[in-house]
Every structure is written in C-alpha cells, then in structure tokens.
C-alpha cells in the first residue's frame, strides 16, 4: 500500500484540477491511500474515497519562503507536515514551487550527506519512448561543483529506480564539448566527475534531447533557463504550426489529411503527460505538479509520485550516496 | 564605398560556400569592395571581381587560441590582419569561432573602455518581422556584472544602429522575474542596470522570443546554452513535422494542401537567413558566419557585415559607451 498526501488547493486551478485528478487516479489504483489536504466543503465530492485533513488557507503562487514557513495553516504546510505525522510515502503539490520545495526540505529534512536537493524530471527526446533525466531544473539559483557531483549521483539513482537503467550515461551541460571548455563551475565539476565511469563528458544545449544522454546535470540557474527556453521555443513553433494550418481553406483541408501523422508528435511534446518534477535529496517523494495542471495532468502527477514510491526511489538514492 | 575582407577558406564547406556567396552578394551591390583571402587557385573564378590576398593554410574548426595566434599564414589570420593593413571596414569568417573572435580582439583591438567583446545576433520572435537582439551568445565563458552592464549598452547601440530603435527595451536573463531572483551574477547586474531607463528587469527563457524584448543580456555561458537549446528544440520539432507529413499517403496529400501555409513559418525559422553574429566591442565589424554556411547563407553574412558598416555600428557603440 502506497500512502500519498496531496495539497488539494495549490495551483492555478485549485481543487477544480486536483479533485478530478484524484478521482481519475483512484479509478485505476486500489493499492494507494490518499490523504487530501484542503477546504472541507470543496472536497465534499471525494470524501468517501480519501482521508481529508481540513485547511482553509492557501498560499499565493508568488509566495516567498518566509511566508510559507509562517503560514502554518496553509494547505501546502499541512500537507508536507502530514508526511511525517501520517508516515506517508510521498506528497504532491501544484502550488508555489519555492514554497513547496523549501517546506519539503525543512520539514522532511535532507537525506544525510546531501548539500542541496534538486528538482529532477524526465524529458521526451528525439528517440521515441526514450527519456532524458535532467537536474537541477530550478530548485537552486546557485550551485557548487560538489552540489553538481551529488546531482549526478542522484540523477543516476533516479534512472536506476525509474527506468531500470543500471549504467545511465551522464553528461554535464556546457558551452562546448571539449575538456577545458566551460566556466569555472563546469571545469571544477568536470574534474570531480571524471572518475565516474558513467560520466561521458560535456554536452551542449542542442544535444540534450537527442536521446543519447540518460542524465544531464545542470546548475539550477542554467537548468531553469534550459527548461523554459525549450518550453518557449516548443510553444512558439506549436503556435506557428496552428497558424500554418489555419492559413486558408486549402491548408485546412491539408490538416484533415495530415492530422493523423501529427499524433505521435503531439504525444511526445505533451509535457503535461510527464506529470511533474521530483525534489530529490529529501526524505520523501515530493512531486511538484505543474501550476496550471488540469485533472488529467494532475492525475499524471499522482501517478508519478505513486511509481516513485513503489520503486523506492528515496532508498535507492540513499544507497547511491553512500 | 564599403571595404570588406573575407576569409574564404574557413567553414565546413571552404571556398565552395564562400565563392558562391561572394558572387551572389556582388550581383546586387556595386558600392562594396571585397578583399578575398585564400587559395589563389581555388579563388580563380572570382579573380576579376575581388582583390585576392593569397593564403594556403586553413585553421581547423576545433583550433585553439594559441594555434590561431601562431599560424600567421592561416586565411583567418591574414584576413583579420588585412583589416588594419588595407583600412577595411569589416571582416567575415565562417571558420572556428574561438580563433576568429580572439584574432579580431587581439589584432583590431578592443574599443577603449570595453572589458569583454560579445557575440550579438538578432533572432526571429513570435511577432512577424520583429527581432530580439541577444548578447553574449558565446564569446565568453564567464562574465562579471560590469561585463553584462556593457553588453546592455552595446546591445542598445546595435538596436539603434540596425533597427533605428531609439529606446530598446532591455532585459536580463534570469530564472524568475521578480527582483531578488537569480544567482549572484544576476543580482549584482540587476543593481547596476537599474538606473538605465531602458532596462525593464529580468526575463525568463520562455519569454525571450515573445517579441516584447528588444535586447536580452546573457553571460556568455548561459547565452550559449540558450542559443543551442533553442536551435536543438527547433530542429527536433522540425524533424518531427517532416515525419508527421511523411507518415502515410494520406498525410503526404495533406502536405500538398498545407504547404503554402507553412511558408511564413519556415521563413521565420530559417536561422541561416539571419546571416551570422557580430563581435561587438572591437574596432571593426567582425561577422562570424555559420560554420556550415552554404552560398546563400554566406551571401547573407556578407550582407549583414555590409549593412553594419553602412550603419556605422562601431562608431555608434563608441558613442554609447561614453
């Protein structure tokens, strides 16, 4: 039995997204107990299928860490606290990233030996069905070479636990591929990683999603820029494709003929299906769902957390860090 | 009359690309004198339309700075030297970026007061016909807040000279938009830029190409990751689109109907048309053409250099730095 706590109120769509997500998830899982934290009235529709912890206050999306710590009756504070109190396996929130990550770190504590937890997520690549695991995509703003070395270890543990990949090819983001390239941080990290047999060297932004790399290590600042750039360019091109098909009656007819071909592409590009990112390095499975989650993508986030618990990812990270 | 020196041998396609490019460019320009540096035999076809400076040695694409400085008979060394010797207005190379940038910096010298030259290029945005000017996209691997402040000044001068935009909205790349976000470098740079009335704050990777920003400032490492990520994602999606249309007979028919609609998109996404990046901060118009230039894109690079000379971009940068 997996036990998950869910912050039902965070995210742009509040309980509208999370209630549907919980229902959908539970339809296909009978070995998972869910503890839902949020407004009792709003959670009425699911009161028979989950345990409810009432909370009437919600943190705003742009909330700072100090506010997150002080507002102890917020749904996310209560949800993260419930991990310890209820001995749950994991916790999910679609609310403020900063608030959720700092609460998860402060309340469930960092794994012994971990300096900085990191946000990790698998991303679709050119190779159908193959994912690249990227970290840190935004938990930190600044990292040391030692942080990045730990990210590599935690990324590899994630790959082993989730994809059963025993020798994940690990790369470090850089502005070139030859040894000697990079900034101070890259060079020092390269020197630390050199002894790791899974470390294959530097990788440039253009090759991260080629399907060759299993794990790509970023400092949090660069990882965040990478993630948002990839997202921005994909959206921009997606918008242009729509415009292209809407151009004239002729192109609209073209769409009718072509759309079947585009299905695999849309499936690959549907980042929402990935379901959210894991905070690795803390003593629980803390999954950050997309702020703009809808019921389907929130269900996918619960699924991610459920699988990570089943795969005992936290224990495997602890083993790898030894 | 504009006088341009061209390294005819650099780039993946050597003189095969540059000769065609020069011919194409000169067909539509009669107020430009070209000095072509390269193998005399290979340059035979254009000997009547350009002045030739013979050079039989070519630097490899992966050449280091030391080799670039030592191999004084290389086409790129001779080309950059000719800027001073022939009193030329600019120089173009499709060869090794590192070699070309360091030679341009060492031989033509930095503009007084400039700490670090930067690689700058306009990029297509969501808004048709609107470009965002990005720098540094890879001249440096590490920058100080003072470097980034100068990049903002030089980027704005470029916008004024090339697009006639007198108040270019200037942003700094970051992992969030609120003041207080970012790493040490972002925070210190933000403090320095705050007094500039054109500075509009932080921008995230996903909004760089929205069409709102006129100038976006990056440190060279992050700028390079941004550039290559955008390129990689665009290529990945482009490849998926091709596969989608090739999926079946039905989708191929769809392509025939739809292709007209895709023309503006392909035009916007054709980075080759942008023609290459300028090294700002040195005493000449040094344009780095794409390594894999073909005759068309190399002609576009010559066009870029020609226009930048016509617009007296170097003088305008000097004025703005005062």
């Amino acid at each position: 039995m997996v036990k998950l706590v869910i912050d039902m109120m965070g995210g742009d769509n509040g309980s509208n997204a999370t209630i549907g997500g919980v229902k959908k998830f539970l339809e296909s899982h009978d070995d998972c107990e869910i503890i839902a934290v949020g407004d009792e009235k709003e959670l009425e529709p699911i009161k028979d299928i989950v345990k409810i912890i009432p909370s009437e206050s919600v943190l705003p999306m742009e909330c700072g860490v100090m506010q997150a710590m002080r507002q102890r009756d917020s749904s996310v504070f209560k949800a993260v606290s419930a991990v310890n109190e209820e001995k749950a396996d994991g916790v999910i929130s679609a609310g403020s990233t900063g608030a959720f990550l700092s609460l998860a770190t402060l309340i469930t504590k960092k794994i012994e030996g971990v300096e900085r937890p990191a946000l990790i997520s698998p991303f679709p690549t050119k190779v159908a069905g193959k994912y690249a695991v990227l970290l840190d995509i935004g938990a930190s703003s600044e990292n040391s070479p030692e942080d990045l070395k730990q990210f590599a270890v935690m990324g590899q543990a994630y790959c082993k636990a989730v994809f059963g990949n025993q020798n994940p090819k690990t790369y470090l983001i850089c502005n070139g591929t030859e040894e000697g390239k990079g900034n101070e941080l890259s060079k020092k990290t390269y020197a630390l990683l050199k002894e790791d047999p899974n470390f294959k060297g530097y990788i440039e932004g253009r090759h991260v999603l080629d399907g060759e790399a299993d794990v790509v290590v970023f400092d949090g600042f660069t990882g965040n820029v990478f993630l948002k750039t990839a997202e921005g360019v994909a959206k921009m091109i997606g918008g242009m494709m729509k415009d292209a098909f809407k151009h004239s009656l002729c192109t609209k007819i073209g769409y009718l003929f072509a759309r079947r071909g585009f299905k695999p592409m849309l499936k690959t590009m549907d980042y929402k299906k990935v379901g959210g990112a894991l905070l690795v390095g803390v003593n629980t499975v803390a999954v950050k769902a997309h702020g703009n989650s809808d019921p389907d993508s929130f269900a996918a986030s619960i699924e991610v957390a459920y699988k990570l618990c089943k795969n005992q990812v936290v224990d495997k990270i602890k083993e790898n860090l030894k």
Side-chain angles (χ1 to χ4, degrees), chain A:
Chain A
M1 201 72 173
V2 172
K3 199 192 263 191
L4 295 175
V5 192
I6 299 182
D7 165 16
M8 299 295 288
M9 312 306 285
D12 302 333
N13 306 313
S15 63
N16 290 328
T18 55
I19 289 177
V22 166
K23 277 187 184 166
K24 196 181 168 196
F25 173 79
L26 285 177
E27 274 166 20
S28 53
H29 295 81
D30 53 13
D31 63 342
C32 185
E33 186 188 335
I34 285 186
I35 302 168
V37 184
D39 184 295
E40 266 185 299
K41 269 182 222 145
E42 290 188 27
L43 300 185
E44 182 78 21
I46 50 168
K47 73 173 193 312
D48 297 331
I49 53 172
V50 303
K51 174 176 171 178
I52 291 174
I53 296 183
S55 155
E56 258 114 75
S57 113
V58 186
L59 286 181
M61 285 302 269
E62 296 305 339
C63 138
V65 176
M66 291 310 291
Q67 188 186 352
M69 285 307 293
R70 270 195 301 255
Q71 200 168 319
R72 291 179 169 236
D73 59 351
S74 75
S75 58
V76 62
F77 192 104
K78 284 193 166 183
V80 178
S81 302
V83 172
N84 292 345
E85 289 151 14
E86 306 273 343
K87 295 198 174 19
D89 302 295
V91 55
I92 301 144
S93 174
S96 153
T97 307
F100 180 58
L101 299 192
S102 37
L103 289 174
T105 307
L106 292 162
I107 295 172
T108 78
K109 307 286 184 216
K110 289 185 282 188
I111 291 172
E112 210 192 309
V114 169
E115 272 303 311
R116 294 254 187 177
L119 214 44
I120 187 170
S121 182
F123 284 83
T125 67
K126 267 183 203 167
V127 181
K130 167 81 194 264
Y131 287 86
V133 169
L134 314 187
L135 80 166
D136 172 26
I137 52 171
S140 298
S141 289
E142 189 110 44
N143 293 105
S144 68
E146 290 73 25
D147 291 347
L148 297 192
K149 193 190 169 187
Q150 282 196 337
F151 293 173
V153 174
M154 295 195 289
Q156 290 178 18
Y158 181 99
C159 261
K160 285 177 200 169
V162 176
F163 300 114
N165 180 343
Q166 294 306 312
N167 296 297
K169 286 183 204 152
T170 304
Y171 291 84
L172 178 65
I173 191 73
C174 197
N175 59 346
T177 52
E178 311 98 66
E179 194 179 340
K181 280 268 180 184
N183 56 21
E184 276 296 297
L185 178 62
S186 338
K187 287 176 195 166
K188 286 182 180 163
T189 308
Y190 194 103
L192 290 179
L193 287 174
K194 234 176 153 178
E195 284 156 37
D196 177 349
N198 290 322
F199 179 59
K200 304 299 174 197
Y202 285 141
I203 194 166
E204 295 183 302
R206 66 180 128 210
H207 296 305
V208 167
L209 302 178
D210 276 0
E212 173 66 18
D214 297 309
V215 176
V216 182
V217 174
F218 296 79
D219 63 281
F221 184 90
T222 308
N224 197 267
V225 170
F226 175 90
L227 175 72
K228 288 174 178 165
T229 302
E231 186 194 325
V233 172
K235 263 200 182 169
M236 176 173 162
I237 299 178
M240 285 175 178
M241 270 172 54
K242 263 193 194 159
D243 291 347
F245 278 125
K246 282 186 189 161
H247 181 257
S248 63
L249 180 63
C250 183
T251 60
K252 282 176 190 164
I253 294 169
Y255 172 70
L256 296 177
F257 279 100
R259 64 179 168 186
R260 268 187 78 94
F262 280 87
K263 271 193 187 164
M265 171 176 177
L266 294 175
K267 213 178 140 191
T268 304
M269 280 178 60
D270 188 1
Y271 276 60
K272 278 197 176 172
K273 277 235 174 102
V274 171
L278 173 72
L279 184 70
V280 283
V282 295
N283 280 302
T284 191
V285 168
V287 168
K288 170 65 182 76
H290 294 283
N292 64 351
S293 289
D294 57 28
D296 282 352
S297 57
F298 198 75
S301 300
I302 308 175
E303 180 79 36
V304 165
Y306 167 82
K307 275 195 189 149
L308 290 168
C309 293
K310 277 268 188 196
N311 287 324
Q312 301 176 291
V313 73
V314 175
D315 289 340
K316 284 185 184 151
I317 286 167
K318 283 180 186 169
E319 275 165 34
N320 266 266
L321 280 168
K322 271 175 196 161

